Amino acid sequence: MKNINKICIALLCLGTVSAVAAEEEVVYSTEGYCVLSNEGVDSRMLEAYAKKLGDEPSKKVCDAFKQVVAASRPKEWDYPMGKPYPGSVVRLSDSQIAAIKAASK
């Protein structure tokens, strides 16, 4: 009976560790790499990301991704409900929107 209890406790602990590991899963994508590349992050970070991704996306692929993103964004955006871009969950304050509009003139 003691062995069965030990086995049950071990399996319960193993299941808990597996559930925690699954929650912390990170998804690596070509789009994520291209966004980081366009943001000008440290080259070591890009190398590590490419290693996790399995391959480094070419500049041509990132440029194509950048064009798709640019084409999907409206040319004139009046920040309805404080959103910086369509579909954003981020909300900008009135002063932030005024600063952005002033900087773009």
Side-chain angles (χ1 to χ4, degrees):
M1 192 68 165
K2 283 184 178 181
N3 287 339
I4 292 176
N5 287 341
K6 286 180 183 179
I7 291 171
C8 288
I9 290 172
L11 290 174
L12 179 63
C13 290
L14 213 89
T16 303
V17 170
S18 297
V20 170
E23 287 178 21
E24 296 178 8
E25 184 177 335
V26 178
V27 177
Y28 295 92
S29 67
T30 300
E31 292 84 0
Y33 178 92
C34 293
V35 168
L36 290 173
S37 177
N38 288 335
E39 292 294 320
V41 298
D42 189 290
S43 62
R44 293 172 294 184
M45 184 175 182
L46 283 177
E47 288 172 14
Y49 197 99
K51 185 175 180 182
K52 293 282 187 178
L53 187 58
D55 192 19
E56 180 180 345
S58 69
K59 183 165 174 39
K60 184 177 180 179
V61 168
C62 285
D63 286 344
F65 172 70
K66 195 174 181 179
Q67 288 174 359
V68 168
V69 169
S72 67
R73 289 194 176 148
K75 301 292 182 244
E76 295 294 323
W77 184 249
D78 63 355
Y79 306 96
M81 298 176 57
K83 293 181 179 184
Y85 55 87
S88 174
V89 295
V90 174
R91 298 293 188 262
L92 301 173
S93 68
D94 292 338
S95 61
Q96 289 172 316
I97 293 170
I100 292 170
K101 286 182 177 182
S104 64
K105 290 182 180 180

